[in-house]
Coordinates of all heavy atoms in Angstrom, one line a residue:
E1 N 49.0 7.7 -7.1 CA 50.3 8.3 -6.8 C 50.8 9.1 -8.0 O 51.4 10.2 -7.8 CB 51.3 7.2 -6.4 CG 50.9 6.4 -5.1 CD 50.2 5.1 -5.4 OE1 49.2 5.1 -6.2 OE2 50.6 4.1 -4.8
R2 N 50.7 8.5 -9.2 CA 51.2 9.2 -10.4 C 50.4 10.5 -10.6 O 50.9 11.6 -10.9 CB 51.1 8.3 -11.6 CG 51.3 8.9 -12.9 CD 52.7 9.5 -13.1 NE 53.7 8.5 -12.7 CZ 55.0 8.7 -12.6 NH1 55.5 10.0 -12.7 NH2 55.9 7.8 -12.3
L3 N 49.0 10.4 -10.4 CA 48.2 11.6 -10.5 C 48.6 12.7 -9.6 O 48.6 13.9 -9.9 CB 46.7 11.2 -10.3 CG 46.1 10.2 -11.3 CD1 44.7 10.0 -11.0 CD2 46.3 10.7 -12.8
L4 N 48.9 12.3 -8.3 CA 49.3 13.3 -7.3 C 50.6 14.0 -7.8 O 50.7 15.2 -7.7 CB 49.6 12.6 -6.0 CG 48.4 12.2 -5.2 CD1 48.8 11.3 -4.0 CD2 47.6 13.4 -4.6
E5 N 51.6 13.3 -8.3 CA 52.8 13.9 -8.8 C 52.5 14.9 -9.9 O 53.1 16.0 -10.0 CB 53.8 12.9 -9.2 CG 55.1 13.5 -9.6 CD 56.2 12.5 -9.9 OE1 56.9 12.1 -8.9 OE2 56.4 12.1 -11.0
V6 N 51.7 14.5 -10.9 CA 51.3 15.4 -12.0 C 50.6 16.6 -11.5 O 50.9 17.8 -11.9 CB 50.5 14.6 -13.0 CG1 49.9 15.6 -14.1 CG2 51.3 13.5 -13.7
F7 N 49.8 16.5 -10.5 CA 49.1 17.6 -9.9 C 50.1 18.6 -9.3 O 50.1 19.8 -9.6 CB 48.1 17.2 -8.8 CG 47.6 18.3 -8.0 CD1 46.6 19.2 -8.5 CD2 48.0 18.5 -6.7 CE1 46.1 20.2 -7.7 CE2 47.5 19.5 -5.9 CZ 46.5 20.4 -6.4
W8 N 51.0 18.1 -8.4 CA 52.0 19.0 -7.8 C 52.9 19.7 -8.8 O 53.3 20.9 -8.6 CB 52.8 18.2 -6.8 CG 52.1 17.7 -5.6 CD1 52.0 16.4 -5.2 CD2 51.5 18.5 -4.5 NE1 51.3 16.4 -4.0 CE2 51.0 17.6 -3.6 CE3 51.3 19.9 -4.3 CZ2 50.3 18.1 -2.4 CZ3 50.6 20.3 -3.2 CH2 50.2 19.4 -2.3
K9 N 53.2 19.0 -9.9 CA 54.1 19.6 -10.9 C 53.4 20.5 -11.9 O 54.1 21.0 -12.8 CB 54.8 18.5 -11.6 CG 55.8 17.7 -10.7 CD 56.6 16.7 -11.5 CE 57.7 16.1 -10.6 NZ 58.6 15.2 -11.4
N10 N 52.1 20.8 -11.7 CA 51.4 21.7 -12.6 C 50.8 22.9 -11.9 O 50.0 23.6 -12.4 CB 50.4 21.0 -13.4 CG 50.9 20.2 -14.5 OD1 51.1 20.8 -15.6 ND2 51.3 19.0 -14.4
I11 N 51.2 23.1 -10.6 CA 50.6 24.2 -9.8 C 51.7 24.9 -9.1 O 52.9 24.4 -9.0 CB 49.5 23.8 -8.8 CG1 50.2 22.9 -7.7 CG2 48.4 23.1 -9.5 CD1 49.3 22.6 -6.5
D12 N 51.4 26.1 -8.5 CA 52.3 26.7 -7.5 C 51.6 26.4 -6.1 O 50.7 27.0 -5.7 CB 52.3 28.2 -7.7 CG 53.2 28.9 -6.6 OD1 53.7 28.2 -5.7 OD2 53.3 30.1 -6.6
P13 N 52.1 25.4 -5.4 CA 51.5 24.9 -4.2 C 51.7 25.9 -3.0 O 51.2 25.7 -1.9 CB 52.2 23.6 -3.9 CG 53.5 23.7 -4.5 CD 53.3 24.6 -5.7
T14 N 52.5 26.9 -3.2 CA 52.8 27.9 -2.1 C 51.9 29.1 -2.1 O 51.9 29.9 -1.1 CB 54.2 28.4 -2.1 OG1 54.4 29.2 -3.3 CG2 55.2 27.2 -2.2
D15 N 51.0 29.2 -3.1 CA 50.1 30.4 -3.2 C 48.8 30.1 -2.5 O 48.0 29.3 -3.0 CB 49.9 30.7 -4.7 CG 49.2 32.0 -4.9 OD1 48.6 32.5 -3.9 OD2 49.2 32.5 -6.0
P16 N 48.5 30.8 -1.4 CA 47.2 30.6 -0.7 C 46.1 31.4 -1.2 O 44.9 31.2 -0.8 CB 47.5 31.0 0.8 CG 48.6 32.0 0.6 CD 49.4 31.7 -0.6
Y17 N 46.3 32.2 -2.2 CA 45.3 33.2 -2.6 C 44.8 33.0 -4.1 O 44.0 33.8 -4.6 CB 45.8 34.6 -2.5 CG 46.3 34.9 -1.1 CD1 47.6 35.2 -0.8 CD2 45.4 34.9 0.0 CE1 48.1 35.4 0.5 CE2 45.8 35.2 1.3 CZ 47.1 35.4 1.5 OH 47.6 35.7 2.8
G18 N 45.3 32.0 -4.8 CA 44.9 31.8 -6.2 C 46.1 31.1 -6.9 O 46.9 30.4 -6.3
Q19 N 46.1 31.3 -8.2 CA 47.1 30.7 -9.0 C 47.5 31.6 -10.1 O 46.7 32.0 -11.0 CB 46.7 29.3 -9.6 CG 46.7 28.2 -8.7 CD 48.0 27.7 -8.2 OE1 48.7 27.0 -8.9 NE2 48.4 28.1 -7.0
F20 N 48.8 32.1 -10.0 CA 49.4 32.9 -11.1 C 48.6 34.2 -11.3 O 48.3 34.9 -10.3 CB 49.6 32.1 -12.3 CG 50.3 30.8 -12.1 CD1 49.6 29.6 -12.0 CD2 51.6 30.7 -11.7 CE1 50.2 28.4 -11.7 CE2 52.3 29.6 -11.4 CZ 51.6 28.4 -11.4
A21 N 48.1 34.5 -12.5 CA 47.3 35.7 -12.7 C 45.9 35.6 -12.2 O 45.3 36.7 -12.0 CB 47.3 36.0 -14.2
D22 N 45.4 34.5 -11.8 CA 44.1 34.3 -11.3 C 44.0 34.3 -9.8 O 44.7 33.5 -9.1 CB 43.5 33.0 -11.8 CG 43.4 32.9 -13.3 OD1 43.0 33.9 -13.9 OD2 43.8 31.9 -13.9
R23 N 43.3 35.3 -9.2 CA 43.2 35.5 -7.8 C 41.8 35.2 -7.3 O 40.8 35.4 -8.0 CB 43.7 36.9 -7.4 CG 44.9 37.5 -8.1 CD 46.0 36.5 -8.2 NE 46.6 36.3 -6.8 CZ 47.3 35.2 -6.5 NH1 47.6 34.3 -7.5 NH2 47.8 35.1 -5.3
G24 N 41.7 34.8 -6.0 CA 40.4 34.6 -5.4 C 40.2 33.2 -5.0 O 40.9 32.2 -5.3
E25 N 39.1 33.0 -4.2 CA 38.8 31.7 -3.6 C 38.6 30.6 -4.6 O 39.0 29.5 -4.4 CB 37.5 31.9 -2.8 CG 36.9 30.6 -2.2 CD 37.7 30.0 -1.0 OE1 38.4 30.8 -0.4 OE2 37.6 28.8 -0.8
Q26 N 38.1 31.0 -5.8 CA 37.7 30.0 -6.8 C 39.0 29.4 -7.5 O 38.9 28.4 -8.2 CB 36.8 30.6 -7.9 CG 37.4 31.7 -8.7 CD 37.2 33.1 -8.1 OE1 37.3 33.2 -6.9 NE2 37.1 34.1 -9.0
Y27 N 40.2 30.1 -7.3 CA 41.4 29.6 -7.9 C 42.4 29.0 -6.9 O 43.5 28.7 -7.2 CB 42.1 30.8 -8.6 CG 41.3 31.3 -9.8 CD1 40.7 32.6 -9.8 CD2 41.0 30.5 -10.9 CE1 40.0 33.0 -10.8 CE2 40.3 30.9 -12.0 CZ 39.7 32.2 -11.9 OH 39.0 32.7 -13.0

């Protein structure tokens, strides 16, 4: 449960195409 919270608080969970400057399936 703690790991899940840390995960959610370190990403943008609304981005379906990547993360921040990194785009593509692998991100």
Side-chain angles (χ1 to χ4, degrees):
E1 294 96 312
R2 172 64 51 191
L3 298 180
L4 285 168
E5 183 171 275
V6 170
F7 169 71
W8 290 119
K9 289 186 175 182
N10 279 276
I11 65 169
D12 176 1
T14 68
D15 189 346
Y17 305 113
Q19 285 290 282
F20 311 105
D22 298 319
R23 318 310 297 160
E25 176 72 21
Q26 67 272 32
Y27 295 114

